[in-house]
Amino acid sequence: MAPVLNVGIVGTGIFARHMHLPCYEDLSDNFKVVAANNRTKSKALDFAKLAGIPESKVYDDLDGILNDKDVSFIDAMLPVQYNLPTVKKAIAAKKPILLEKPIAANLEQARELVKLAEATDIPVGIAENWLFFSVIAVAEKHLARIGPVVAFIHNSTAPCSTSNRYHSTNWRQHPEHIGGILSDGGVHQLGLLTSLVGEFDRVSALTRKVHDNAPSDEIVFSTVTLRDSDVIGSFNYGTDFAATKPSIYVKIFGKAGTVVVDLSDKKQPVVRVRIGDTAEDAGDEEVYPVEYDRSYGVKAEFMNFHEAVVKKDKTLYKGSPRRTFHHLAVIAALLESSSKNGNSVKVQQP
Ligand SMILES: NC(=O)c1ccc[n+]([C@@H]2O[C@H](COP(=O)([O-])OP(=O)(O)OC[C@H]3O[C@@H](n4cnc5c(N)ncnc54)[C@H](OP(=O)(O)O)[C@@H]3O)[C@@H](O)[C@H]2O)c1
């Protein structure tokens, strides 16, 4: 049986309580949440009650939980400007660490984080759960059937929601991370898209607010080229529109057919395929429903990090700092391009 890893939670906010804790509990053959630390201790104590953590394992500070010998790894869910200082301490304490996305608040911090992570054997992972969507493997199988890819459209548009509990958090309302809501959710979109088509080279983008009082731009429309490739595409994203049906899809055009990954219905992801060089020789549309994952990839992400920690091999974890740097770097390039009225901007490397 796989060893049970003891998890120390740092940052016991909404996502810790409503997603990570239930996922660890569902994976009790592999994980046990044993310790917690949070800026506001009363909230850590509430979390501890929920998780069955004894009060003696609720720490006042990061050093306390990092030095707990019973803790196998840290799962940090903090406003992302704290990712870099938290990683520095975790590496010094030789504690593997999983950090929530985006990798950091800006590219300077992200670059330093990549450097630190690559200079140690301690696993450092970025929890971009969209990298773990099972729809990716299904799509990849069919991408192999449509010949060389020529172009793609990434469209992720949805209405704003006043009941979204995440939006009202103070650190999202006053973002220190570049892009605000655009990087918060945008890195997920980019994780999915680049898993399917490859990494971006240059972007030409315009970003805008939908709401005058929004803390940062909320929507982006852009054209894109891929690295070392002739493939072109568009990346359009915004989840703060007025009433509209959520429409989330990646459409990939090959020379011999088309693959569509459609996530518009959260509970019914689907891959649609049409094979044929022309309208005349097109086969019927093939539809491949993908099983609904209530954890949106989080459980698969945890199991992947588990493997990296148990085997002491950081390279096994898919959400490496280098890979996830790219997703934030694209957001930075989109913002820079928009500030230059849509001029073409090269995406920075770590
Ligand atoms: N993968 C996903 O789909 C997904 C979804 C949601 C969130 N997330 C990520 O999860 C992380 C937490 O988000 P959340 O929605 O759970 O936010 P949240 O409820 O506001 O939780 C943030 C936590 O960080 C703590 N914190 C805030 N400022 C701090 C500071 N200056 N120093 C130390 N700790 C501080 C808060 O402590 P207090 O209790 O004192 O306020 C709180 O426990 C973020 O990185 C976010 O991007 C990921």
Side-chain angles (χ1 to χ4, degrees), residues 11-16 38-40 43 76-80 82-83 100-102 127 129-130 166 169-172 184 188 298:
T12 58
I14 308 171
F15 204 52
N38 190 53
R39 180 181 62 172
T40 308
K43 285 204 210 159
M77 285 162 277
L78 298 168
V80 294
Y82 300 109
N83 279 359
E100 266 304 330
K101 44 49 57 176
N129 46 302
W130 282 44
Y166 292 106
T169 49
N170 188 51
W171 65 276
R172 288 188 178 87
D184 203 8
H188 281 320
V298 169

PDB file of all heavy atoms in Angstrom, residues 11-16 38-40 43 76-80 82-83 100-102 127 129-130 166 169-172 184 188 298, ligand 1:
ATOM      1  N   GLY A  11      -2.606  28.405   5.510  1.00  0.00           N
ATOM      2  CA  GLY A  11      -3.660  29.205   4.860  1.00  0.00           C
ATOM      3  C   GLY A  11      -4.942  28.397   4.858  1.00  0.00           C
ATOM      4  O   GLY A  11      -5.189  27.604   3.950  1.00  0.00           O
ATOM      5  N   THR A  12      -5.750  28.612   5.916  1.00  0.00           N
ATOM      6  CA  THR A  12      -6.959  27.781   6.068  1.00  0.00           C
ATOM      7  C   THR A  12      -8.201  28.551   5.607  1.00  0.00           C
ATOM      8  O   THR A  12      -9.184  28.643   6.330  1.00  0.00           O
ATOM      9  CB  THR A  12      -7.113  27.328   7.539  1.00  0.00           C
ATOM     10  OG1 THR A  12      -7.166  28.512   8.359  1.00  0.00           O
ATOM     11  CG2 THR A  12      -5.962  26.453   7.988  1.00  0.00           C
ATOM     12  N   GLY A  13      -8.135  29.108   4.406  1.00  0.00           N
ATOM     13  CA  GLY A  13      -9.251  29.901   3.876  1.00  0.00           C
ATOM     14  C   GLY A  13     -10.272  29.052   3.134  1.00  0.00           C
ATOM     15  O   GLY A  13     -10.417  27.850   3.396  1.00  0.00           O
ATOM     16  N   ILE A  14     -10.935  29.698   2.174  1.00  0.00           N
ATOM     17  CA  ILE A  14     -12.082  29.062   1.501  1.00  0.00           C
ATOM     18  C   ILE A  14     -11.672  27.787   0.755  1.00  0.00           C
ATOM     19  O   ILE A  14     -12.319  26.746   0.870  1.00  0.00           O
ATOM     20  CB  ILE A  14     -12.722  30.026   0.469  1.00  0.00           C
ATOM     21  CG1 ILE A  14     -13.059  31.378   1.089  1.00  0.00           C
ATOM     22  CG2 ILE A  14     -13.967  29.415  -0.130  1.00  0.00           C
ATOM     23  CD1 ILE A  14     -13.484  32.431   0.070  1.00  0.00           C
ATOM     24  N   PHE A  15     -10.594  27.901  -0.009  1.00  0.00           N
ATOM     25  CA  PHE A  15     -10.231  26.751  -0.848  1.00  0.00           C
ATOM     26  C   PHE A  15      -9.743  25.589   0.010  1.00  0.00           C
ATOM     27  O   PHE A  15     -10.007  24.427  -0.305  1.00  0.00           O
ATOM     28  CB  PHE A  15      -9.167  27.178  -1.872  1.00  0.00           C
ATOM     29  CG  PHE A  15      -9.130  26.300  -3.100  1.00  0.00           C
ATOM     30  CD1 PHE A  15     -10.285  26.039  -3.824  1.00  0.00           C
ATOM     31  CD2 PHE A  15      -7.945  25.730  -3.531  1.00  0.00           C
ATOM     32  CE1 PHE A  15     -10.265  25.226  -4.964  1.00  0.00           C
ATOM     33  CE2 PHE A  15      -7.908  24.924  -4.660  1.00  0.00           C
ATOM     34  CZ  PHE A  15      -9.059  24.667  -5.378  1.00  0.00           C
ATOM     35  N   ALA A  16      -9.044  25.897   1.104  1.00  0.00           N
ATOM     36  CA  ALA A  16      -8.570  24.848   2.005  1.00  0.00           C
ATOM     37  C   ALA A  16      -9.754  24.073   2.580  1.00  0.00           C
ATOM     38  O   ALA A  16      -9.764  22.839   2.607  1.00  0.00           O
ATOM     39  CB  ALA A  16      -7.749  25.474   3.128  1.00  0.00           C
ATOM     40  N   ASN A  38      -2.373  29.480  10.197  1.00  0.00           N
ATOM     41  CA  ASN A  38      -3.076  30.536   9.472  1.00  0.00           C
ATOM     42  C   ASN A  38      -2.812  31.872  10.148  1.00  0.00           C
ATOM     43  O   ASN A  38      -2.615  31.931  11.364  1.00  0.00           O
ATOM     44  CB  ASN A  38      -4.591  30.250   9.479  1.00  0.00           C
ATOM     45  CG  ASN A  38      -5.337  31.166   8.535  1.00  0.00           C
ATOM     46  OD1 ASN A  38      -4.988  31.267   7.364  1.00  0.00           O
ATOM     47  ND2 ASN A  38      -6.349  31.848   9.039  1.00  0.00           N
ATOM     48  N   ARG A  39      -2.801  32.934   9.339  1.00  0.00           N
ATOM     49  CA  ARG A  39      -2.562  34.275   9.901  1.00  0.00           C
ATOM     50  C   ARG A  39      -3.503  34.551  11.069  1.00  0.00           C
ATOM     51  O   ARG A  39      -3.074  34.923  12.156  1.00  0.00           O
ATOM     52  CB  ARG A  39      -2.754  35.324   8.794  1.00  0.00           C
ATOM     53  CG  ARG A  39      -2.541  36.727   9.262  1.00  0.00           C
ATOM     54  CD  ARG A  39      -2.761  37.698   8.151  1.00  0.00           C
ATOM     55  NE  ARG A  39      -4.128  37.670   7.618  1.00  0.00           N
ATOM     56  CZ  ARG A  39      -4.609  38.538   6.747  1.00  0.00           C
ATOM     57  NH1 ARG A  39      -3.830  39.484   6.270  1.00  0.00           N
ATOM     58  NH2 ARG A  39      -5.852  38.448   6.314  1.00  0.00           N
ATOM     59  N   THR A  40      -4.799  34.333  10.862  1.00  0.00           N
ATOM     60  CA  THR A  40      -5.758  34.510  11.955  1.00  0.00           C
ATOM     61  C   THR A  40      -5.937  33.153  12.637  1.00  0.00           C
ATOM     62  O   THR A  40      -6.514  32.227  12.058  1.00  0.00           O
ATOM     63  CB  THR A  40      -7.116  35.004  11.396  1.00  0.00           C
ATOM     64  OG1 THR A  40      -6.867  36.151  10.578  1.00  0.00           O
ATOM     65  CG2 THR A  40      -8.084  35.351  12.497  1.00  0.00           C
ATOM     66  N   LYS A  43      -9.236  31.127  12.946  1.00  0.00           N
ATOM     67  CA  LYS A  43      -9.727  30.414  11.758  1.00  0.00           C
ATOM     68  C   LYS A  43      -8.988  29.079  11.598  1.00  0.00           C
ATOM     69  O   LYS A  43      -9.561  28.100  11.126  1.00  0.00           O
ATOM     70  CB  LYS A  43      -9.522  31.268  10.506  1.00  0.00           C
ATOM     71  CG  LYS A  43     -10.512  32.415  10.397  1.00  0.00           C
ATOM     72  CD  LYS A  43     -10.651  32.834   8.935  1.00  0.00           C
ATOM     73  CE  LYS A  43     -10.982  34.303   8.819  1.00  0.00           C
ATOM     74  NZ  LYS A  43     -10.645  34.850   7.513  1.00  0.00           N
ATOM     75  N   ALA A  76       0.264  24.966   0.778  1.00  0.00           N
ATOM     76  CA  ALA A  76       0.084  26.392   1.095  1.00  0.00           C
ATOM     77  C   ALA A  76      -0.964  27.014   0.187  1.00  0.00           C
ATOM     78  O   ALA A  76      -0.844  26.956  -1.037  1.00  0.00           O
ATOM     79  CB  ALA A  76       1.414  27.127   0.947  1.00  0.00           C
ATOM     80  N   MET A  77      -1.983  27.608   0.791  1.00  0.00           N
ATOM     81  CA  MET A  77      -3.064  28.262   0.037  1.00  0.00           C
ATOM     82  C   MET A  77      -3.176  29.700   0.503  1.00  0.00           C
ATOM     83  O   MET A  77      -4.039  30.057   1.297  1.00  0.00           O
ATOM     84  CB  MET A  77      -4.369  27.503   0.260  1.00  0.00           C
ATOM     85  CG  MET A  77      -4.412  26.212  -0.514  1.00  0.00           C
ATOM     86  SD  MET A  77      -5.661  25.071   0.090  1.00  0.00           S
ATOM     87  CE  MET A  77      -4.769  24.304   1.435  1.00  0.00           C
ATOM     88  N   LEU A  78      -2.239  30.514   0.012  1.00  0.00           N
ATOM     89  CA  LEU A  78      -2.097  31.906   0.455  1.00  0.00           C
ATOM     90  C   LEU A  78      -2.307  32.849  -0.722  1.00  0.00           C
ATOM     91  O   LEU A  78      -2.140  32.437  -1.872  1.00  0.00           O
ATOM     92  CB  LEU A  78      -0.674  32.119   0.980  1.00  0.00           C
ATOM     93  CG  LEU A  78      -0.280  31.283   2.197  1.00  0.00           C
ATOM     94  CD1 LEU A  78       1.226  31.370   2.416  1.00  0.00           C
ATOM     95  CD2 LEU A  78      -1.039  31.750   3.430  1.00  0.00           C
ATOM     96  N   PRO A  79      -2.601  34.128  -0.437  1.00  0.00           N
ATOM     97  CA  PRO A  79      -2.508  35.095  -1.531  1.00  0.00           C
ATOM     98  C   PRO A  79      -1.113  34.933  -2.151  1.00  0.00           C
ATOM     99  O   PRO A  79      -0.113  34.824  -1.421  1.00  0.00           O
ATOM    100  CB  PRO A  79      -2.655  36.437  -0.806  1.00  0.00           C
ATOM    101  CG  PRO A  79      -3.433  36.115   0.431  1.00  0.00           C
ATOM    102  CD  PRO A  79      -2.961  34.750   0.841  1.00  0.00           C
ATOM    103  N   VAL A  80      -1.036  34.914  -3.494  1.00  0.00           N
ATOM    104  CA  VAL A  80       0.188  34.369  -4.119  1.00  0.00           C
ATOM    105  C   VAL A  80       1.433  35.230  -3.957  1.00  0.00           C
ATOM    106  O   VAL A  80       2.541  34.761  -4.232  1.00  0.00           O
ATOM    107  CB  VAL A  80      -0.043  34.033  -5.607  1.00  0.00           C
ATOM    108  CG1 VAL A  80      -1.033  32.897  -5.726  1.00  0.00           C
ATOM    109  CG2 VAL A  80      -0.505  35.260  -6.382  1.00  0.00           C
ATOM    110  N   TYR A  82       2.694  35.694  -1.327  1.00  0.00           N
ATOM    111  CA  TYR A  82       3.424  35.035  -0.227  1.00  0.00           C
ATOM    112  C   TYR A  82       4.043  33.704  -0.650  1.00  0.00           C
ATOM    113  O   TYR A  82       4.687  33.034   0.149  1.00  0.00           O
ATOM    114  CB  TYR A  82       2.495  34.834   0.979  1.00  0.00           C
ATOM    115  CG  TYR A  82       1.964  36.159   1.471  1.00  0.00           C
ATOM    116  CD1 TYR A  82       0.635  36.498   1.274  1.00  0.00           C
ATOM    117  CD2 TYR A  82       2.811  37.083   2.072  1.00  0.00           C
ATOM    118  CE1 TYR A  82       0.159  37.748   1.674  1.00  0.00           C
ATOM    119  CE2 TYR A  82       2.337  38.328   2.465  1.00  0.00           C
ATOM    120  CZ  TYR A  82       1.015  38.648   2.266  1.00  0.00           C
ATOM    121  OH  TYR A  82       0.544  39.878   2.653  1.00  0.00           O
ATOM    122  N   ASN A  83       3.851  33.317  -1.898  1.00  0.00           N
ATOM    123  CA  ASN A  83       4.411  32.026  -2.332  1.00  0.00           C
ATOM    124  C   ASN A  83       5.931  31.998  -2.229  1.00  0.00           C
ATOM    125  O   ASN A  83       6.509  31.049  -1.703  1.00  0.00           O
ATOM    126  CB  ASN A  83       3.976  31.707  -3.775  1.00  0.00           C
ATOM    127  CG  ASN A  83       2.562  31.130  -3.833  1.00  0.00           C
ATOM    128  OD1 ASN A  83       1.914  30.957  -2.813  1.00  0.00           O
ATOM    129  ND2 ASN A  83       2.073  30.847  -5.031  1.00  0.00           N
ATOM    130  N   GLU A 100      -0.438  27.115  -4.079  1.00  0.00           N
ATOM    131  CA  GLU A 100      -1.539  27.423  -4.993  1.00  0.00           C
ATOM    132  C   GLU A 100      -1.101  28.378  -6.111  1.00  0.00           C
ATOM    133  O   GLU A 100      -0.125  29.099  -6.002  1.00  0.00           O
ATOM    134  CB  GLU A 100      -2.737  27.988  -4.227  1.00  0.00           C
ATOM    135  CG  GLU A 100      -3.751  26.929  -3.856  1.00  0.00           C
ATOM    136  CD  GLU A 100      -4.288  26.131  -5.042  1.00  0.00           C
ATOM    137  OE1 GLU A 100      -4.352  26.673  -6.161  1.00  0.00           O
ATOM    138  OE2 GLU A 100      -4.624  24.947  -4.865  1.00  0.00           O
ATOM    139  N   LYS A 101      -1.841  28.340  -7.203  1.00  0.00           N
ATOM    140  CA  LYS A 101      -1.565  29.140  -8.385  1.00  0.00           C
ATOM    141  C   LYS A 101      -2.093  30.559  -8.217  1.00  0.00           C
ATOM    142  O   LYS A 101      -2.948  30.757  -7.359  1.00  0.00           O
ATOM    143  CB  LYS A 101      -2.171  28.524  -9.632  1.00  0.00           C
ATOM    144  CG  LYS A 101      -3.587  27.987  -9.566  1.00  0.00           C
ATOM    145  CD  LYS A 101      -4.738  28.722  -9.020  1.00  0.00           C
ATOM    146  CE  LYS A 101      -5.177  30.044  -9.519  1.00  0.00           C
ATOM    147  NZ  LYS A 101      -6.393  30.579  -8.906  1.00  0.00           N
ATOM    148  N   PRO A 102      -1.707  31.516  -9.057  1.00  0.00           N
ATOM    149  CA  PRO A 102      -0.570  31.470  -9.969  1.00  0.00           C
ATOM    150  C   PRO A 102       0.734  31.334  -9.189  1.00  0.00           C
ATOM    151  O   PRO A 102       0.780  31.602  -7.993  1.00  0.00           O
ATOM    152  CB  PRO A 102      -0.620  32.820 -10.672  1.00  0.00           C
ATOM    153  CG  PRO A 102      -1.936  33.436 -10.347  1.00  0.00           C
ATOM    154  CD  PRO A 102      -2.406  32.806  -9.084  1.00  0.00           C
ATOM    155  N   ALA A 127       0.062  24.176  -7.697  1.00  0.00           N
ATOM    156  CA  ALA A 127      -1.192  23.424  -7.769  1.00  0.00           C
ATOM    157  C   ALA A 127      -2.117  24.010  -8.843  1.00  0.00           C
ATOM    158  O   ALA A 127      -3.126  24.637  -8.542  1.00  0.00           O
ATOM    159  CB  ALA A 127      -1.867  23.431  -6.393  1.00  0.00           C
ATOM    160  N   ASN A 129      -4.611  22.869 -10.947  1.00  0.00           N
ATOM    161  CA  ASN A 129      -5.373  21.627 -11.094  1.00  0.00           C
ATOM    162  C   ASN A 129      -5.903  21.388 -12.505  1.00  0.00           C
ATOM    163  O   ASN A 129      -6.194  20.256 -12.872  1.00  0.00           O
ATOM    164  CB  ASN A 129      -6.506  21.556 -10.067  1.00  0.00           C
ATOM    165  CG  ASN A 129      -7.316  22.804  -9.941  1.00  0.00           C
ATOM    166  OD1 ASN A 129      -6.781  23.869  -9.636  1.00  0.00           O
ATOM    167  ND2 ASN A 129      -8.599  22.716 -10.185  1.00  0.00           N
ATOM    168  N   TRP A 130      -5.988  22.450 -13.334  1.00  0.00           N
ATOM    169  CA  TRP A 130      -6.481  22.223 -14.703  1.00  0.00           C
ATOM    170  C   TRP A 130      -5.487  21.396 -15.524  1.00  0.00           C
ATOM    171  O   TRP A 130      -5.842  20.840 -16.549  1.00  0.00           O
ATOM    172  CB  TRP A 130      -6.778  23.559 -15.407  1.00  0.00           C
ATOM    173  CG  TRP A 130      -8.072  24.186 -14.986  1.00  0.00           C
ATOM    174  CD1 TRP A 130      -8.553  24.299 -13.723  1.00  0.00           C
ATOM    175  CD2 TRP A 130      -9.074  24.784 -15.841  1.00  0.00           C
ATOM    176  NE1 TRP A 130      -9.759  24.944 -13.721  1.00  0.00           N
ATOM    177  CE2 TRP A 130     -10.104  25.256 -15.015  1.00  0.00           C
ATOM    178  CE3 TRP A 130      -9.164  24.986 -17.218  1.00  0.00           C
ATOM    179  CZ2 TRP A 130     -11.235  25.911 -15.519  1.00  0.00           C
ATOM    180  CZ3 TRP A 130     -10.289  25.637 -17.721  1.00  0.00           C
ATOM    181  CH2 TRP A 130     -11.310  26.087 -16.880  1.00  0.00           C
ATOM    182  N   TYR A 166     -15.393  33.547  -3.712  1.00  0.00           N
ATOM    183  CA  TYR A 166     -13.972  33.844  -3.910  1.00  0.00           C
ATOM    184  C   TYR A 166     -13.759  35.321  -4.265  1.00  0.00           C
ATOM    185  O   TYR A 166     -12.822  35.949  -3.799  1.00  0.00           O
ATOM    186  CB  TYR A 166     -13.383  32.962  -5.018  1.00  0.00           C
ATOM    187  CG  TYR A 166     -13.312  31.501  -4.633  1.00  0.00           C
ATOM    188  CD1 TYR A 166     -14.194  30.573  -5.181  1.00  0.00           C
ATOM    189  CD2 TYR A 166     -12.368  31.051  -3.725  1.00  0.00           C
ATOM    190  CE1 TYR A 166     -14.133  29.231  -4.819  1.00  0.00           C
ATOM    191  CE2 TYR A 166     -12.300  29.715  -3.362  1.00  0.00           C
ATOM    192  CZ  TYR A 166     -13.188  28.808  -3.913  1.00  0.00           C
ATOM    193  OH  TYR A 166     -13.117  27.488  -3.544  1.00  0.00           O
ATOM    194  N   THR A 169     -13.026  38.137  -1.566  1.00  0.00           N
ATOM    195  CA  THR A 169     -11.893  38.110  -0.625  1.00  0.00           C
ATOM    196  C   THR A 169     -11.046  39.380  -0.806  1.00  0.00           C
ATOM    197  O   THR A 169     -10.885  39.873  -1.926  1.00  0.00           O
ATOM    198  CB  THR A 169     -11.008  36.859  -0.847  1.00  0.00           C
ATOM    199  OG1 THR A 169     -10.719  36.742  -2.236  1.00  0.00           O
ATOM    200  CG2 THR A 169     -11.687  35.595  -0.380  1.00  0.00           C
ATOM    201  N   ASN A 170     -10.559  39.863   0.305  1.00  0.00           N
ATOM    202  CA  ASN A 170      -9.855  41.152   0.336  1.00  0.00           C
ATOM    203  C   ASN A 170      -8.672  41.189  -0.634  1.00  0.00           C
ATOM    204  O   ASN A 170      -8.473  42.143  -1.370  1.00  0.00           O
ATOM    205  CB  ASN A 170      -9.394  41.409   1.781  1.00  0.00           C
ATOM    206  CG  ASN A 170      -8.848  42.804   1.912  1.00  0.00           C
ATOM    207  OD1 ASN A 170      -9.484  43.773   1.511  1.00  0.00           O
ATOM    208  ND2 ASN A 170      -7.634  42.912   2.446  1.00  0.00           N
ATOM    209  N   TRP A 171      -7.901  40.092  -0.662  1.00  0.00           N
ATOM    210  CA  TRP A 171      -6.696  40.101  -1.509  1.00  0.00           C
ATOM    211  C   TRP A 171      -7.040  40.047  -2.992  1.00  0.00           C
ATOM    212  O   TRP A 171      -6.244  40.474  -3.822  1.00  0.00           O
ATOM    213  CB  TRP A 171      -5.742  38.972  -1.100  1.00  0.00           C
ATOM    214  CG  TRP A 171      -6.264  37.578  -1.317  1.00  0.00           C
ATOM    215  CD1 TRP A 171      -7.063  36.856  -0.479  1.00  0.00           C
ATOM    216  CD2 TRP A 171      -6.024  36.745  -2.443  1.00  0.00           C
ATOM    217  NE1 TRP A 171      -7.352  35.630  -1.011  1.00  0.00           N
ATOM    218  CE2 TRP A 171      -6.717  35.530  -2.222  1.00  0.00           C
ATOM    219  CE3 TRP A 171      -5.302  36.884  -3.621  1.00  0.00           C
ATOM    220  CZ2 TRP A 171      -6.708  34.470  -3.134  1.00  0.00           C
ATOM    221  CZ3 TRP A 171      -5.284  35.833  -4.523  1.00  0.00           C
ATOM    222  CH2 TRP A 171      -5.983  34.643  -4.279  1.00  0.00           C
ATOM    223  N   ARG A 172      -8.237  39.552  -3.329  1.00  0.00           N
ATOM    224  CA  ARG A 172      -8.644  39.602  -4.744  1.00  0.00           C
ATOM    225  C   ARG A 172      -9.202  40.978  -5.092  1.00  0.00           C
ATOM    226  O   ARG A 172      -9.089  41.437  -6.226  1.00  0.00           O
ATOM    227  CB  ARG A 172      -9.688  38.518  -5.044  1.00  0.00           C
ATOM    228  CG  ARG A 172      -9.123  37.109  -5.075  1.00  0.00           C
ATOM    229  CD  ARG A 172     -10.167  36.109  -5.565  1.00  0.00           C
ATOM    230  NE  ARG A 172      -9.654  34.749  -5.643  1.00  0.00           N
ATOM    231  CZ  ARG A 172      -9.652  33.875  -4.637  1.00  0.00           C
ATOM    232  NH1 ARG A 172     -10.120  34.225  -3.456  1.00  0.00           N
ATOM    233  NH2 ARG A 172      -9.173  32.660  -4.808  1.00  0.00           N
ATOM    234  N   ASP A 184      -5.666  35.114 -12.017  1.00  0.00           N
ATOM    235  CA  ASP A 184      -6.264  34.174 -11.056  1.00  0.00           C
ATOM    236  C   ASP A 184      -6.856  32.964 -11.788  1.00  0.00           C
ATOM    237  O   ASP A 184      -6.535  31.811 -11.498  1.00  0.00           O
ATOM    238  CB  ASP A 184      -7.346  34.933 -10.273  1.00  0.00           C
ATOM    239  CG  ASP A 184      -7.648  34.299  -8.939  1.00  0.00           C
ATOM    240  OD1 ASP A 184      -6.929  33.370  -8.543  1.00  0.00           O
ATOM    241  OD2 ASP A 184      -8.623  34.734  -8.285  1.00  0.00           O
ATOM    242  N   HIS A 188      -5.235  28.924 -15.269  1.00  0.00           N
ATOM    243  CA  HIS A 188      -5.899  27.618 -15.465  1.00  0.00           C
ATOM    244  C   HIS A 188      -6.186  27.400 -16.956  1.00  0.00           C
ATOM    245  O   HIS A 188      -5.946  26.322 -17.505  1.00  0.00           O
ATOM    246  CB  HIS A 188      -7.231  27.590 -14.724  1.00  0.00           C
ATOM    247  CG  HIS A 188      -7.123  27.349 -13.248  1.00  0.00           C
ATOM    248  ND1 HIS A 188      -6.253  26.452 -12.699  1.00  0.00           N
ATOM    249  CD2 HIS A 188      -7.827  27.872 -12.206  1.00  0.00           C
ATOM    250  CE1 HIS A 188      -6.408  26.435 -11.380  1.00  0.00           C
ATOM    251  NE2 HIS A 188      -7.351  27.289 -11.063  1.00  0.00           N
ATOM    252  N   VAL A 298      -8.158  18.224  -8.763  1.00  0.00           N
ATOM    253  CA  VAL A 298      -7.383  18.381  -7.520  1.00  0.00           C
ATOM    254  C   VAL A 298      -6.915  17.020  -6.981  1.00  0.00           C
ATOM    255  O   VAL A 298      -5.764  16.877  -6.555  1.00  0.00           O
ATOM    256  CB  VAL A 298      -8.193  19.167  -6.452  1.00  0.00           C
ATOM    257  CG1 VAL A 298      -7.512  19.107  -5.091  1.00  0.00           C
ATOM    258  CG2 VAL A 298      -8.370  20.613  -6.898  1.00  0.00           C
TER     259      VAL A 298
HETATM  260  N1  LIG B   1      -6.928  25.990  -7.916  1.00  0.00           N
HETATM  261  C1  LIG B   1      -8.045  26.656  -7.813  1.00  0.00           C
HETATM  262  O1  LIG B   1      -8.966  26.462  -8.574  1.00  0.00           O
HETATM  263  C2  LIG B   1      -8.188  27.669  -6.718  1.00  0.00           C
HETATM  264  C3  LIG B   1      -9.455  28.116  -6.327  1.00  0.00           C
HETATM  265  C4  LIG B   1      -9.520  29.028  -5.277  1.00  0.00           C
HETATM  266  C5  LIG B   1      -8.369  29.493  -4.671  1.00  0.00           C
HETATM  267  N2  LIG B   1      -7.169  29.040  -5.104  1.00  0.00           N
HETATM  268  C6  LIG B   1      -5.929  29.539  -4.502  1.00  0.00           C
HETATM  269  O2  LIG B   1      -5.913  29.246  -3.117  1.00  0.00           O
HETATM  270  C7  LIG B   1      -5.268  30.284  -2.392  1.00  0.00           C
HETATM  271  C8  LIG B   1      -6.207  30.773  -1.301  1.00  0.00           C
HETATM  272  O3  LIG B   1      -7.378  31.268  -1.883  1.00  0.00           O
HETATM  273  P1  LIG B   1      -8.765  31.335  -1.092  1.00  0.00           P
HETATM  274  O4  LIG B   1      -9.801  31.538  -2.104  1.00  0.00           O
HETATM  275  O5  LIG B   1      -8.889  30.185  -0.167  1.00  0.00           O
HETATM  276  O6  LIG B   1      -8.574  32.699  -0.302  1.00  0.00           O
HETATM  277  P2  LIG B   1      -8.899  33.063   1.212  1.00  0.00           P
HETATM  278  O7  LIG B   1     -10.128  32.375   1.672  1.00  0.00           O
HETATM  279  O8  LIG B   1      -8.834  34.538   1.282  1.00  0.00           O
HETATM  280  O9  LIG B   1      -7.672  32.423   1.981  1.00  0.00           O
HETATM  281  C9  LIG B   1      -6.426  33.042   2.014  1.00  0.00           C
HETATM  282  C10 LIG B   1      -5.700  32.571   3.238  1.00  0.00           C
HETATM  283  O10 LIG B   1      -4.437  33.241   3.287  1.00  0.00           O
HETATM  284  C11 LIG B   1      -4.314  33.897   4.541  1.00  0.00           C
HETATM  285  N3  LIG B   1      -3.640  35.206   4.403  1.00  0.00           N
HETATM  286  C12 LIG B   1      -4.130  36.327   3.879  1.00  0.00           C
HETATM  287  N4  LIG B   1      -3.225  37.325   3.967  1.00  0.00           N
HETATM  288  C13 LIG B   1      -2.164  36.802   4.574  1.00  0.00           C
HETATM  289  C14 LIG B   1      -0.923  37.328   4.962  1.00  0.00           C
HETATM  290  N5  LIG B   1      -0.629  38.623   4.786  1.00  0.00           N
HETATM  291  N6  LIG B   1      -0.027  36.502   5.538  1.00  0.00           N
HETATM  292  C15 LIG B   1      -0.337  35.225   5.756  1.00  0.00           C
HETATM  293  N7  LIG B   1      -1.530  34.676   5.420  1.00  0.00           N
HETATM  294  C16 LIG B   1      -2.426  35.447   4.841  1.00  0.00           C
HETATM  295  C17 LIG B   1      -5.708  34.142   5.031  1.00  0.00           C
HETATM  296  O11 LIG B   1      -5.669  34.266   6.448  1.00  0.00           O
HETATM  297  P3  LIG B   1      -6.807  35.021   7.291  1.00  0.00           P
HETATM  298  O12 LIG B   1      -7.708  33.950   7.766  1.00  0.00           O
HETATM  299  O13 LIG B   1      -6.057  35.710   8.371  1.00  0.00           O
HETATM  300  O14 LIG B   1      -7.484  36.001   6.357  1.00  0.00           O
HETATM  301  C18 LIG B   1      -6.442  32.924   4.506  1.00  0.00           C
HETATM  302  O15 LIG B   1      -6.356  31.830   5.372  1.00  0.00           O
HETATM  303  C19 LIG B   1      -4.888  31.348  -3.419  1.00  0.00           C
HETATM  304  O16 LIG B   1      -3.571  31.154  -3.811  1.00  0.00           O
HETATM  305  C20 LIG B   1      -5.793  31.039  -4.604  1.00  0.00           C
HETATM  306  O17 LIG B   1      -5.235  31.423  -5.845  1.00  0.00           O
HETATM  307  C21 LIG B   1      -7.056  28.139  -6.095  1.00  0.00           C
END
